[in-house]
Amino acid sequence: MATLLTTQLSPSVLHFKPGQAPPTFAVQIVNQSDTFAAFQLEVLAAGVEAGASHAWYQQAPDLSAKIPPGDRTQFRVTVLDVPPVRGGFVGSMTLTVRVFSVDLRQEDRQVLTLVIEGSGISPPQIDILSPQLTVLPQTRLEIPVRLFNPNRSALRINLAVQGLPTDWLTDGQERRLEVPAQGEVMTTFLGQIGAPLDAPSQVYPFDLEARVTALVSQRFSSQLTVLPAGTVEMELTTPVVVYPRASPPRRRQPSPTPDVGKQPMSETWLGLPMTAMVLGQRPQGHPQGHPGGRGVAPTAGTPTSTAAAIGLTFHNHSNLPQIITPVVERLCLGSWFEGGDDRVQPLFPTDRIALPEAPIDLPIGAVVPITLPVVVSRPWLGWTRTHLFRISALRPDPQIPLDPDHQTVTVRSQPRLHWGLQLALLGAAVGLLLWLRLLPPSHRGAVNMVRFDGRASEVLSASEDQTVRRWAVAGQRLQRWKRPLQKDKAVRVARYRPVGNDAIAVGYENGATEIIPLRVSQPPLVLAHDLGDRVFDLQFTPDAQTLFTGYGSGALQRWDLSGLPRGDVQPVQGANVGFAVQTLALIPNHQVLVGGRFNRLVIWDWAEDQVIPFPYLASGGDQDYITSLATAAERPHRLAIADNQGRISLWDLQTCPPPGSLAGPCRPLYTWADGHGDEAVRALAITESGCALVSGGDDGQVKLWEIQADGRVASERRLGKSRQAIDTVDVILRDNRLLAVSGGRNHRVKLYSAPIPATCR
């Protein structure tokens, strides 16, 4: 066969010494064929088993480009390590360079000599059997190690751990091991991690060194991670303080001579740099939106020396340095007395709390005492008042808990006026209260309905005293605006006409309904129905062209109000749901949701003229009622339902299957039954976007619920409290404020104002 390729090696003898620069040789190939061809090569070492790794050498390129006939190409081979001969090798070894071409289907072999210098002992192999070495303080330490001897004779190996604290390895840092030829030995270094104060949380790098001789050794690097552990203790040394504290006796002192360079007295207090805190701003160094800040920030001036001094001590019992920022919040006093949930309320404008200007550095094991001077409001009259403050701390690393997570301090403020003067003022106050008691209340009977107009400039109220009143909204108060509309029967319900608010619909105890113009002098439009069938609720469509009314007999009526004709008007459509109607709500697709006795809910599809059951949470007896329904004007699928068993539930009608479908029942997004102390919930009102809900109940509370987009309650707060039941509420968002109004069995109409809830921003 003709020779189609020739190979030449240069040099023919290589010297390799571990630890020195790797040797290189060149392979030159000549294409002696009459066609283009590409070439490859591999290096074979004597004694290396077939299939062994080729990582002991490196060639460039891996594959030559195709070269024309008569041309040549060159490879460069670098010997990186001793060929993987079992048991190691020292001396001369024959390397065979095999050159071949797939295109020519021919190969050529050339040999060279590799001289391997050294001791002839291959270093042992070290492996740590645990992939991750992570421990907690005061726990057992185990470092499992495997040694492999690749040589043909046994080795005595000195294995040592280097880099870890010596007191952690209780059974020693070294092992002398006999490893058989081409065998392995397992061993474990045992120890005990110290206490958190002696074992800071960090990564500890260490080495395992296996030494055979002074020249033959192997090193394996790893790391041990000590996890965070321990606590930061917050000790309250003054659980009860009195404000103002007794002032020290005054002593006349000579006027000091001005001394340039001294720090003014107002900049430090009780040995620590302090900053007075007031309501309405944010503290420097506090993160944006932190709830503990409660709108607190530095202001000029320092509290007087009679301030109440709160003593705190922080002990760092953890294995991490800490940065502590004390936070002071005011607690709702009522919830503390009643064993409640310690609800937080905003700091009073008169509260002055001196906090450290900079966070407190707390190294491992440190004990740092601080003093927080507090000035609170003092009553002019009465007895010593109690103020509760919750003290907690901000920490950038939440891995270490604060123990306890907060402390509660009681600050008692003494009245300003002497008791003798208070008695005189008390007598005057009693006389004033007796005079105020004789004034007529807002209504002379229970208030059945309150409603805002569309601009929140006016409130409408309807009462058992047979009157309908209109109130002007003046800031955060209600003022009588017009003379009441006096009727000859109790008024159950009244609502503004939604377009223009230029008329009101009024439903009476005897079943009559009237549309009364407000801006023109015209007789009311009378909607005829059976007298004696009490009107419980009525609803306008948004275009004000249609009105729906619900009655105690279970009757429903639809009225066409287009053009507002004068005189008596007959209903254009009717239905009967078979139970006493208590409340109505408009829902999409020309439907009216009807709730009432027996906890019954139905949908009146007046377009299709059919009544469809709506699944509720629980059935009821003849004393169980759906008391209130509320939908969001901008999200009519968002529905709120209340009943006289104390339940409030939020629904998304978009997630419900079509009425009558077999896809399954409709489920509420969120339900709670403890909002009004297990008392009946009588009234609900929801904002236009559905982000906030106001409720009133038999416990006399008016509550605000902040609603998330998924229908869950983000937070709650009490807007007001009455001694008697609340029967009606309404809510509206205007001018960056939330306005709510309530009415009930105390005959009063009350307005509430609150900031826009976070869920509505």
Side-chain angles (χ1 to χ4, degrees), residues 99-177:
V99 178
F100 59 94
S101 172
V102 176
D103 299 319
L104 303 180
R105 297 186 179 181
Q106 194 174 81
E107 68 174 43
D108 185 21
R109 296 181 180 235
Q110 299 291 332
V111 297
L112 58 82
T113 301
L114 177 65
V115 179
I116 301 173
E117 303 175 5
S119 64
I121 301 175
S122 297
Q125 299 175 5
I126 307 175
D127 288 314
I128 292 183
L129 301 181
S130 179
Q132 292 183 345
L133 290 175
T134 57
V135 292
L136 286 166
Q138 296 181 311
T139 59
R140 182 181 176 87
L141 172 64
E142 295 184 2
I143 305 177
V145 183
R146 178 177 61 191
L147 284 177
F148 175 72
N149 178 11
N151 297 278
R152 294 176 179 173
S153 59
L155 293 179
R156 289 186 176 182
I157 300 175
N158 185 33
L159 180 65
V161 179
Q162 301 173 350
L164 293 180
T166 56
D167 56 345
W168 288 6
L169 299 170
T170 55
D171 67 340
Q173 295 178 276
E174 295 188 6
R175 299 281 190 278
R176 295 191 61 84
L177 303 171

Side-chain angles (χ1 to χ4, degrees), residues 653-671:
L653 298 180
Q654 287 181 310
T655 64
C656 294
S661 170
L662 298 178
C666 185
R667 300 292 185 188
L669 300 174
Y670 192 64
T671 302

Side-chain angles (χ1 to χ4, degrees), residues 367-529:
V367 179
V368 177
I370 66 170
T371 301
L372 304 180
V374 177
V375 174
V376 296
S377 61
R378 295 178 62 191
W380 288 97
L381 303 173
W383 51 91
T384 299
R385 305 297 173 85
T386 299
H387 306 264
L388 295 179
F389 293 94
R390 183 169 70 185
I391 303 176
S392 56
L394 290 177
R395 293 167 296 122
D397 188 353
Q399 300 180 83
I400 303 300
L402 189 66
D403 182 26
D405 60 357
H406 68 272
Q407 293 277 12
T408 300
V409 62
T410 302
V411 179
R412 306 192 187 280
S413 60
Q414 300 175 346
R416 297 174 183 268
L417 297 183
H418 189 267
W419 65 269
L421 182 57
Q422 291 190 46
L423 287 177
L425 293 175
L426 179 60
V430 169
L432 178 61
L433 288 175
L434 289 175
W435 178 75
L436 292 175
R437 186 70 176 175
L438 299 176
L439 292 179
S442 298
H443 281 273
R444 296 184 182 274
V447 179
N448 293 325
M449 181 68 72
V450 291
R451 282 295 176 268
F452 284 105
D453 68 350
R455 298 177 299 174
S457 62
E458 182 177 318
V459 170
L460 186 70
S461 62
S463 172
E464 294 284 344
D465 65 2
Q466 303 181 358
T467 63
V468 177
R469 290 185 179 271
R470 295 167 65 190
W471 309 84
V473 178
Q476 298 185 19
R477 299 180 56 192
L478 292 178
Q479 295 180 351
R480 294 184 181 182
W481 183 37
K482 298 285 187 180
R483 294 182 60 186
L485 299 174
Q486 185 67 51
K487 299 297 179 180
D488 58 356
K489 41 195 167 292
V491 184
R492 290 294 309 171
V493 59
R495 293 185 186 273
Y496 284 100
R497 182 174 180 267
V499 178
N501 299 148
D502 57 352
I504 58 174
V506 181
Y508 298 104
E509 186 78 12
N510 68 345
T513 305
E514 291 182 343
I515 308 296
I516 303 174
L518 297 180
R519 299 178 185 173
V520 296
S521 179
Q522 291 181 352
L525 172 66
V526 178
L527 308 183
H529 185 71

Side-chain angles (χ1 to χ4, degrees), residues 4 25 56 58 308 371 387 465 486 508 535 667 705 747 749:
L4 303 180
F25 65 93
W56 58 274
Q58 185 180 34
T371 301
H387 306 264
D465 65 2
Q486 185 67 51
Y508 298 104
V535 182
R667 300 292 185 188
W705 311 85
H747 305 178
V749 178

